[in-house]
Amino acid sequence: MARLVFLGRLTDVAGCAELEVAPGPLETVLAGLDPALALALLDERVRIALNGDLIGDRGVVLAAGDELAFLPPVSGG
């Protein structure tokens, strides 16, 4: 299994901080999620980190044991 990690407001959208998923292309993984969550994760302002390293390419394929973290934009005042 691979693990998706949700940070910030994405935790609220997901209803949990982490979710285990079957390995595979990110597009396939997202297609199996709740549509509202998948849409939030596809926001161009959301950054992703694969196994702790920020990546810019969303054409990632998750392998067993991978962790993919979604980092929403930070708001401040």
Side-chain angles (χ1 to χ4, degrees), residues 8-28:
R9 68 172 180 82
L10 296 174
T11 302
D12 294 332
V13 176
C16 58
E18 297 181 3
L19 185 64
E20 287 202 0
V21 296
L26 181 57
E27 296 80 18
T28 302

Side-chain angles (χ1 to χ4, degrees), residues 1-57:
M1 296 298 280
R3 184 170 47 152
L4 304 182
V5 177
F6 310 110
L7 302 172
R9 68 172 180 82
L10 296 174
T11 302
D12 294 332
V13 176
C16 58
E18 297 181 3
L19 185 64
E20 287 202 0
V21 296
L26 181 57
E27 296 80 18
T28 302
V29 172
L30 293 179
L33 300 177
D34 178 90
L37 175 57
L39 187 60
L41 297 177
L42 289 171
D43 184 316
E44 66 185 24
R45 298 170 297 163
V46 172
R47 302 196 58 195
I48 56 176
L50 178 61
N51 299 323
D53 294 323
L54 286 174
I55 58 174
D57 182 17

